[in-house]
Amino acid sequence: MTMRRVAASLVPAWLEPLLTTPFFSICSSHADAARNERNMFCLDCGGAGSGAFCLYCRSERHAGHRVIQIRRSSYHDVVRVAEIQKVLDIGGVQTYVINSARVLFLNERPQPRASSKGASPHTCEICARSLLDPFRFCSLGCKLVGIKRNGDATFVPRADDDDNMPAASSAGAGGHQWEELPEEEENKTGRSRERGGWEGSRDFSPATLPNSRRRKGVPRRAPFSS
């Protein structure tokens, strides 16, 4: 079996249209309505005919279909892990937490110039972008390239993996906090921001504090004689 056929069996037909679809333009059919950005994609239609569409188009044309919403961070398209992991094996892809939601990037992002001091030892196998954790890929797009090139990963969810969490990948686990940081600051502060809630945060009760002493009660004196 050729590598192309192997890749086809490991990648759903709607994924490449998703990664190449432009999002966030104004829907011409609902130009006068509020929240009319084209930020949704139908997995059942696979982008055929409609591509990206808005909230109102979903109600009119895609009722009952599997639809995911695309969001944007620092001018790059992201999708929530909670949505995409139901239909896609995202193992091996670096995840982040933005606005309290775990997300991953759809496509490769330009690599900012990183200083040698404090540089991450983890990089994307495809584009060599610095990663915060030992994942293989920085985005779904890079994982797609990796599958086509090597055939040693898959996007097809396992039938026995109900949760399909990204930590199931042997390439790494977890996601880091990333709150709309500028590109050049991402690699510098991502790791320290994640650790901040743990280091030096042991919770001692008064009874377990080292060298703690129990306060004596307030001494009581006999009343003055009249």
Side-chain angles (χ1 to χ4, degrees):
M1 184 179 292
T2 65
M3 186 60 66
R4 180 175 297 182
R5 291 182 179 179
V6 171
S9 66
L10 302 175
V11 179
W14 50 261
L15 182 59
E16 290 193 66
L18 169 66
L19 299 180
T20 56
T21 295
F23 293 96
F24 296 99
S25 60
I26 300 301
C27 178
S28 58
S29 300
H30 304 93
D32 297 330
R35 300 176 61 189
N36 58 0
E37 287 185 326
R38 299 167 68 241
N39 63 348
M40 296 192 174
F41 186 88
C42 181
L43 306 183
D44 292 327
C45 297
S50 58
F53 52 89
C54 74
L55 177 67
Y56 307 101
C57 292
R58 175 179 183 174
S59 301
E60 296 171 0
R61 307 171 192 171
H62 302 277
H65 291 187
R66 295 177 301 166
V67 173
I68 60 173
Q69 181 177 347
I70 306 303
R71 293 168 170 83
R72 180 158 287 184
S73 174
S74 299
Y75 306 102
H76 296 284
D77 296 337
V78 302
V79 62
R80 285 186 174 178
V81 169
E83 291 186 53
I84 198 68
Q85 71 178 2
K86 298 175 182 177
V87 294
L88 207 65
D89 183 346
I90 59 175
V93 181
Q94 175 76 64
T95 63
Y96 299 89
V97 178
I98 302 176
N99 296 331
S100 301
R102 191 180 300 275
V103 303
L104 48 77
F105 286 87
L106 295 190
N107 291 294
E108 170 189 347
R109 294 168 289 153
Q111 174 69 61
R113 288 186 298 176
S115 62
S116 57
K117 183 179 180 181
S120 172
H122 313 300
T123 58
C124 175
E125 292 182 7
I126 304 303
C127 69
R129 181 180 181 85
S130 296
L131 303 177
L132 299 176
D133 297 294
F135 285 90
R136 297 182 60 188
F137 310 104
C138 70
S139 62
L140 293 179
C142 281
K143 181 174 180 177
L144 176 61
V145 174
I147 290 176
K148 289 183 175 181
R149 181 181 299 175
N150 305 314
D152 61 347
T154 181
F155 277 119
V156 179
R158 293 179 297 177
D160 59 344
D161 189 0
D162 295 333
D163 296 330
N164 192 28
M165 295 300 293
S169 170
S170 60
H176 276 262
Q177 299 284 348
W178 192 51
E179 300 175 355
E180 300 295 341
L181 294 177
E183 291 288 321
E184 63 273 12
E185 294 295 327
E186 176 184 341
N187 294 324
K188 296 180 182 178
T189 63
R191 188 171 300 280
S192 62
R193 182 183 295 273
E194 179 71 4
R195 292 199 305 257
W198 294 97
E199 291 187 356
S201 60
R202 294 179 62 189
D203 184 14
F204 290 102
S205 64
T208 60
L209 281 171
N211 300 322
S212 62
R213 296 180 180 178
R214 185 186 299 271
R215 290 189 59 188
K216 297 181 179 180
V218 178
R220 297 183 179 181
R221 298 179 179 178
F224 292 104
S225 58
S226 56

mmCIF file with all atom_site columns, all heavy atoms in Angstrom, residues 23 28 33 38 52 63 66 81 87 118 150 161 181 183 208 212 218 223:
data_model
loop_
_atom_site.group_PDB
_atom_site.id
_atom_site.type_symbol
_atom_site.label_atom_id
_atom_site.label_alt_id
_atom_site.label_comp_id
_atom_site.label_asym_id
_atom_site.label_entity_id
_atom_site.label_seq_id
_atom_site.pdbx_PDB_ins_code
_atom_site.Cartn_x
_atom_site.Cartn_y
_atom_site.Cartn_z
_atom_site.occupancy
_atom_site.B_iso_or_equiv
_atom_site.pdbx_formal_charge
_atom_site.auth_seq_id
_atom_site.auth_comp_id
_atom_site.auth_asym_id
_atom_site.auth_atom_id
_atom_site.pdbx_PDB_model_num
ATOM 1   N N   . PHE A 1 23  ? -11.551 31.673 7.519  1.00 0.00 ? 23  PHE A N   1
ATOM 2   C CA  . PHE A 1 23  ? -12.632 31.956 8.458  1.00 0.00 ? 23  PHE A CA  1
ATOM 3   C C   . PHE A 1 23  ? -12.664 33.451 8.805  1.00 0.00 ? 23  PHE A C   1
ATOM 4   O O   . PHE A 1 23  ? -11.759 34.201 8.467  1.00 0.00 ? 23  PHE A O   1
ATOM 5   C CB  . PHE A 1 23  ? -12.453 31.136 9.745  1.00 0.00 ? 23  PHE A CB  1
ATOM 6   C CG  . PHE A 1 23  ? -12.623 29.657 9.556  1.00 0.00 ? 23  PHE A CG  1
ATOM 7   C CD1 . PHE A 1 23  ? -11.517 28.834 9.353  1.00 0.00 ? 23  PHE A CD1 1
ATOM 8   C CD2 . PHE A 1 23  ? -13.876 29.082 9.582  1.00 0.00 ? 23  PHE A CD2 1
ATOM 9   C CE1 . PHE A 1 23  ? -11.654 27.462 9.185  1.00 0.00 ? 23  PHE A CE1 1
ATOM 10  C CE2 . PHE A 1 23  ? -14.036 27.714 9.412  1.00 0.00 ? 23  PHE A CE2 1
ATOM 11  C CZ  . PHE A 1 23  ? -12.924 26.899 9.210  1.00 0.00 ? 23  PHE A CZ  1
ATOM 12  N N   . SER A 1 28  ? -22.239 37.048 3.796  1.00 0.00 ? 28  SER A N   1
ATOM 13  C CA  . SER A 1 28  ? -22.989 37.913 2.884  1.00 0.00 ? 28  SER A CA  1
ATOM 14  C C   . SER A 1 28  ? -24.490 37.684 2.992  1.00 0.00 ? 28  SER A C   1
ATOM 15  O O   . SER A 1 28  ? -25.276 38.597 2.728  1.00 0.00 ? 28  SER A O   1
ATOM 16  C CB  . SER A 1 28  ? -22.526 37.664 1.439  1.00 0.00 ? 28  SER A CB  1
ATOM 17  O OG  . SER A 1 28  ? -22.698 36.301 1.090  1.00 0.00 ? 28  SER A OG  1
ATOM 18  N N   . ALA A 1 33  ? -26.998 41.243 10.265 1.00 0.00 ? 33  ALA A N   1
ATOM 19  C CA  . ALA A 1 33  ? -27.249 40.616 11.564 1.00 0.00 ? 33  ALA A CA  1
ATOM 20  C C   . ALA A 1 33  ? -26.024 40.735 12.460 1.00 0.00 ? 33  ALA A C   1
ATOM 21  O O   . ALA A 1 33  ? -24.893 40.887 11.985 1.00 0.00 ? 33  ALA A O   1
ATOM 22  C CB  . ALA A 1 33  ? -27.630 39.152 11.390 1.00 0.00 ? 33  ALA A CB  1
ATOM 23  N N   . ARG A 1 38  ? -18.185 34.315 9.788  1.00 0.00 ? 38  ARG A N   1
ATOM 24  C CA  . ARG A 1 38  ? -18.152 32.941 9.289  1.00 0.00 ? 38  ARG A CA  1
ATOM 25  C C   . ARG A 1 38  ? -17.063 32.171 10.043 1.00 0.00 ? 38  ARG A C   1
ATOM 26  O O   . ARG A 1 38  ? -15.925 32.090 9.605  1.00 0.00 ? 38  ARG A O   1
ATOM 27  C CB  . ARG A 1 38  ? -17.899 32.952 7.785  1.00 0.00 ? 38  ARG A CB  1
ATOM 28  C CG  . ARG A 1 38  ? -18.977 33.681 7.004  1.00 0.00 ? 38  ARG A CG  1
ATOM 29  C CD  . ARG A 1 38  ? -18.586 33.962 5.559  1.00 0.00 ? 38  ARG A CD  1
ATOM 30  N NE  . ARG A 1 38  ? -18.487 32.733 4.780  1.00 0.00 ? 38  ARG A NE  1
ATOM 31  C CZ  . ARG A 1 38  ? -17.379 32.303 4.195  1.00 0.00 ? 38  ARG A CZ  1
ATOM 32  N NH1 . ARG A 1 38  ? -16.247 33.006 4.345  1.00 0.00 ? 38  ARG A NH1 1
ATOM 33  N NH2 . ARG A 1 38  ? -17.364 31.202 3.482  1.00 0.00 ? 38  ARG A NH2 1
ATOM 34  N N   . ALA A 1 52  ? -16.838 27.863 5.222  1.00 0.00 ? 52  ALA A N   1
ATOM 35  C CA  . ALA A 1 52  ? -17.156 28.458 6.516  1.00 0.00 ? 52  ALA A CA  1
ATOM 36  C C   . ALA A 1 52  ? -18.518 29.119 6.451  1.00 0.00 ? 52  ALA A C   1
ATOM 37  O O   . ALA A 1 52  ? -18.940 29.600 5.397  1.00 0.00 ? 52  ALA A O   1
ATOM 38  C CB  . ALA A 1 52  ? -16.091 29.474 6.899  1.00 0.00 ? 52  ALA A CB  1
ATOM 39  N N   . ALA A 1 63  ? -28.671 21.993 10.388 1.00 0.00 ? 63  ALA A N   1
ATOM 40  C CA  . ALA A 1 63  ? -29.339 21.466 11.580 1.00 0.00 ? 63  ALA A CA  1
ATOM 41  C C   . ALA A 1 63  ? -29.134 19.955 11.660 1.00 0.00 ? 63  ALA A C   1
ATOM 42  O O   . ALA A 1 63  ? -29.342 19.224 10.685 1.00 0.00 ? 63  ALA A O   1
ATOM 43  C CB  . ALA A 1 63  ? -30.828 21.800 11.543 1.00 0.00 ? 63  ALA A CB  1
ATOM 44  N N   . ARG A 1 66  ? -22.790 17.625 12.348 1.00 0.00 ? 66  ARG A N   1
ATOM 45  C CA  . ARG A 1 66  ? -21.662 17.818 13.256 1.00 0.00 ? 66  ARG A CA  1
ATOM 46  C C   . ARG A 1 66  ? -20.932 19.103 12.852 1.00 0.00 ? 66  ARG A C   1
ATOM 47  O O   . ARG A 1 66  ? -20.328 19.175 11.788 1.00 0.00 ? 66  ARG A O   1
ATOM 48  C CB  . ARG A 1 66  ? -20.703 16.632 13.192 1.00 0.00 ? 66  ARG A CB  1
ATOM 49  C CG  . ARG A 1 66  ? -21.288 15.323 13.686 1.00 0.00 ? 66  ARG A CG  1
ATOM 50  C CD  . ARG A 1 66  ? -20.272 14.199 13.507 1.00 0.00 ? 66  ARG A CD  1
ATOM 51  N NE  . ARG A 1 66  ? -19.886 14.059 12.102 1.00 0.00 ? 66  ARG A NE  1
ATOM 52  C CZ  . ARG A 1 66  ? -18.839 13.366 11.674 1.00 0.00 ? 66  ARG A CZ  1
ATOM 53  N NH1 . ARG A 1 66  ? -18.044 12.758 12.558 1.00 0.00 ? 66  ARG A NH1 1
ATOM 54  N NH2 . ARG A 1 66  ? -18.550 13.279 10.387 1.00 0.00 ? 66  ARG A NH2 1
ATOM 55  N N   . VAL A 1 81  ? -10.301 21.854 22.329 1.00 0.00 ? 81  VAL A N   1
ATOM 56  C CA  . VAL A 1 81  ? -10.034 20.423 22.449 1.00 0.00 ? 81  VAL A CA  1
ATOM 57  C C   . VAL A 1 81  ? -11.334 19.671 22.727 1.00 0.00 ? 81  VAL A C   1
ATOM 58  O O   . VAL A 1 81  ? -11.561 18.578 22.195 1.00 0.00 ? 81  VAL A O   1
ATOM 59  C CB  . VAL A 1 81  ? -8.999  20.163 23.553 1.00 0.00 ? 81  VAL A CB  1
ATOM 60  C CG1 . VAL A 1 81  ? -8.903  18.683 23.874 1.00 0.00 ? 81  VAL A CG1 1
ATOM 61  C CG2 . VAL A 1 81  ? -7.635  20.707 23.138 1.00 0.00 ? 81  VAL A CG2 1
ATOM 62  N N   . VAL A 1 87  ? -14.040 13.832 17.514 1.00 0.00 ? 87  VAL A N   1
ATOM 63  C CA  . VAL A 1 87  ? -14.050 13.315 16.145 1.00 0.00 ? 87  VAL A CA  1
ATOM 64  C C   . VAL A 1 87  ? -12.655 13.112 15.585 1.00 0.00 ? 87  VAL A C   1
ATOM 65  O O   . VAL A 1 87  ? -12.498 12.646 14.453 1.00 0.00 ? 87  VAL A O   1
ATOM 66  C CB  . VAL A 1 87  ? -14.829 14.278 15.220 1.00 0.00 ? 87  VAL A CB  1
ATOM 67  C CG1 . VAL A 1 87  ? -16.299 14.307 15.589 1.00 0.00 ? 87  VAL A CG1 1
ATOM 68  C CG2 . VAL A 1 87  ? -14.246 15.693 15.281 1.00 0.00 ? 87  VAL A CG2 1
ATOM 69  N N   . GLY A 1 118 ? 17.597  29.958 27.562 1.00 0.00 ? 118 GLY A N   1
ATOM 70  C CA  . GLY A 1 118 ? 16.285  29.486 27.984 1.00 0.00 ? 118 GLY A CA  1
ATOM 71  C C   . GLY A 1 118 ? 15.452  28.901 26.863 1.00 0.00 ? 118 GLY A C   1
ATOM 72  O O   . GLY A 1 118 ? 14.233  28.791 26.999 1.00 0.00 ? 118 GLY A O   1
ATOM 73  N N   . ASN A 1 150 ? 5.383   10.106 7.101  1.00 0.00 ? 150 ASN A N   1
ATOM 74  C CA  . ASN A 1 150 ? 5.885   8.920  7.789  1.00 0.00 ? 150 ASN A CA  1
ATOM 75  C C   . ASN A 1 150 ? 4.838   7.840  8.028  1.00 0.00 ? 150 ASN A C   1
ATOM 76  O O   . ASN A 1 150 ? 5.190   6.663  8.188  1.00 0.00 ? 150 ASN A O   1
ATOM 77  C CB  . ASN A 1 150 ? 6.490   9.324  9.139  1.00 0.00 ? 150 ASN A CB  1
ATOM 78  C CG  . ASN A 1 150 ? 7.560   10.382 8.996  1.00 0.00 ? 150 ASN A CG  1
ATOM 79  O OD1 . ASN A 1 150 ? 8.425   10.279 8.130  1.00 0.00 ? 150 ASN A OD1 1
ATOM 80  N ND2 . ASN A 1 150 ? 7.506   11.407 9.845  1.00 0.00 ? 150 ASN A ND2 1
ATOM 81  N N   . ASP A 1 161 ? -11.509 4.344  23.162 1.00 0.00 ? 161 ASP A N   1
ATOM 82  C CA  . ASP A 1 161 ? -11.031 5.501  23.928 1.00 0.00 ? 161 ASP A CA  1
ATOM 83  C C   . ASP A 1 161 ? -12.142 6.530  24.008 1.00 0.00 ? 161 ASP A C   1
ATOM 84  O O   . ASP A 1 161 ? -12.277 7.402  23.169 1.00 0.00 ? 161 ASP A O   1
ATOM 85  C CB  . ASP A 1 161 ? -9.802  6.106  23.254 1.00 0.00 ? 161 ASP A CB  1
ATOM 86  C CG  . ASP A 1 161 ? -9.137  7.169  24.113 1.00 0.00 ? 161 ASP A CG  1
ATOM 87  O OD1 . ASP A 1 161 ? -9.646  7.410  25.229 1.00 0.00 ? 161 ASP A OD1 1
ATOM 88  O OD2 . ASP A 1 161 ? -8.137  7.752  23.679 1.00 0.00 ? 161 ASP A OD2 1
ATOM 89  N N   . LEU A 1 181 ? -0.449  35.997 24.867 1.00 0.00 ? 181 LEU A N   1
ATOM 90  C CA  . LEU A 1 181 ? 0.874   36.594 24.947 1.00 0.00 ? 181 LEU A CA  1
ATOM 91  C C   . LEU A 1 181 ? 1.378   36.913 23.554 1.00 0.00 ? 181 LEU A C   1
ATOM 92  O O   . LEU A 1 181 ? 1.069   36.212 22.601 1.00 0.00 ? 181 LEU A O   1
ATOM 93  C CB  . LEU A 1 181 ? 1.851   35.613 25.602 1.00 0.00 ? 181 LEU A CB  1
ATOM 94  C CG  . LEU A 1 181 ? 1.588   35.275 27.069 1.00 0.00 ? 181 LEU A CG  1
ATOM 95  C CD1 . LEU A 1 181 ? 2.596   34.246 27.524 1.00 0.00 ? 181 LEU A CD1 1
ATOM 96  C CD2 . LEU A 1 181 ? 1.673   36.513 27.925 1.00 0.00 ? 181 LEU A CD2 1
ATOM 97  N N   . GLU A 1 183 ? 3.826   36.845 20.388 1.00 0.00 ? 183 GLU A N   1
ATOM 98  C CA  . GLU A 1 183 ? 4.561   35.696 19.895 1.00 0.00 ? 183 GLU A CA  1
ATOM 99  C C   . GLU A 1 183 ? 5.950   35.592 20.511 1.00 0.00 ? 183 GLU A C   1
ATOM 100 O O   . GLU A 1 183 ? 6.396   34.526 20.896 1.00 0.00 ? 183 GLU A O   1
ATOM 101 C CB  . GLU A 1 183 ? 4.688   35.790 18.362 1.00 0.00 ? 183 GLU A CB  1
ATOM 102 C CG  . GLU A 1 183 ? 3.368   35.598 17.637 1.00 0.00 ? 183 GLU A CG  1
ATOM 103 C CD  . GLU A 1 183 ? 2.911   34.153 17.680 1.00 0.00 ? 183 GLU A CD  1
ATOM 104 O OE1 . GLU A 1 183 ? 3.759   33.262 17.565 1.00 0.00 ? 183 GLU A OE1 1
ATOM 105 O OE2 . GLU A 1 183 ? 1.713   33.918 17.834 1.00 0.00 ? 183 GLU A OE2 1
ATOM 106 N N   . THR A 1 208 ? 0.139   22.499 61.904 1.00 0.00 ? 208 THR A N   1
ATOM 107 C CA  . THR A 1 208 ? 1.260   21.817 61.276 1.00 0.00 ? 208 THR A CA  1
ATOM 108 C C   . THR A 1 208 ? 2.395   22.751 60.930 1.00 0.00 ? 208 THR A C   1
ATOM 109 O O   . THR A 1 208 ? 3.371   22.338 60.333 1.00 0.00 ? 208 THR A O   1
ATOM 110 C CB  . THR A 1 208 ? 0.795   21.125 59.984 1.00 0.00 ? 208 THR A CB  1
ATOM 111 O OG1 . THR A 1 208 ? 0.261   22.107 59.084 1.00 0.00 ? 208 THR A OG1 1
ATOM 112 C CG2 . THR A 1 208 ? -0.268  20.089 60.270 1.00 0.00 ? 208 THR A CG2 1
ATOM 113 N N   . SER A 1 212 ? 5.614   25.909 65.577 1.00 0.00 ? 212 SER A N   1
ATOM 114 C CA  . SER A 1 212 ? 4.461   26.679 66.029 1.00 0.00 ? 212 SER A CA  1
ATOM 115 C C   . SER A 1 212 ? 4.194   26.388 67.501 1.00 0.00 ? 212 SER A C   1
ATOM 116 O O   . SER A 1 212 ? 4.440   25.288 67.996 1.00 0.00 ? 212 SER A O   1
ATOM 117 C CB  . SER A 1 212 ? 3.223   26.319 65.192 1.00 0.00 ? 212 SER A CB  1
ATOM 118 O OG  . SER A 1 212 ? 2.902   24.957 65.356 1.00 0.00 ? 212 SER A OG  1
ATOM 119 N N   . VAL A 1 218 ? -5.815  33.815 78.005 1.00 0.00 ? 218 VAL A N   1
ATOM 120 C CA  . VAL A 1 218 ? -5.663  35.102 78.678 1.00 0.00 ? 218 VAL A CA  1
ATOM 121 C C   . VAL A 1 218 ? -5.756  34.885 80.184 1.00 0.00 ? 218 VAL A C   1
ATOM 122 O O   . VAL A 1 218 ? -6.721  34.286 80.671 1.00 0.00 ? 218 VAL A O   1
ATOM 123 C CB  . VAL A 1 218 ? -6.762  36.093 78.228 1.00 0.00 ? 218 VAL A CB  1
ATOM 124 C CG1 . VAL A 1 218 ? -6.625  37.408 78.969 1.00 0.00 ? 218 VAL A CG1 1
ATOM 125 C CG2 . VAL A 1 218 ? -6.703  36.285 76.717 1.00 0.00 ? 218 VAL A CG2 1
ATOM 126 N N   . PRO A 1 223 ? -10.810 39.484 91.290 1.00 0.00 ? 223 PRO A N   1
ATOM 127 C CA  . PRO A 1 223 ? -11.387 40.845 91.345 1.00 0.00 ? 223 PRO A CA  1
ATOM 128 C C   . PRO A 1 223 ? -10.808 41.624 92.520 1.00 0.00 ? 223 PRO A C   1
ATOM 129 O O   . PRO A 1 223 ? -10.404 41.050 93.543 1.00 0.00 ? 223 PRO A O   1
ATOM 130 C CB  . PRO A 1 223 ? -12.870 40.596 91.520 1.00 0.00 ? 223 PRO A CB  1
ATOM 131 C CG  . PRO A 1 223 ? -12.963 39.234 92.127 1.00 0.00 ? 223 PRO A CG  1
ATOM 132 C CD  . PRO A 1 223 ? -11.798 38.446 91.583 1.00 0.00 ? 223 PRO A CD  1
#
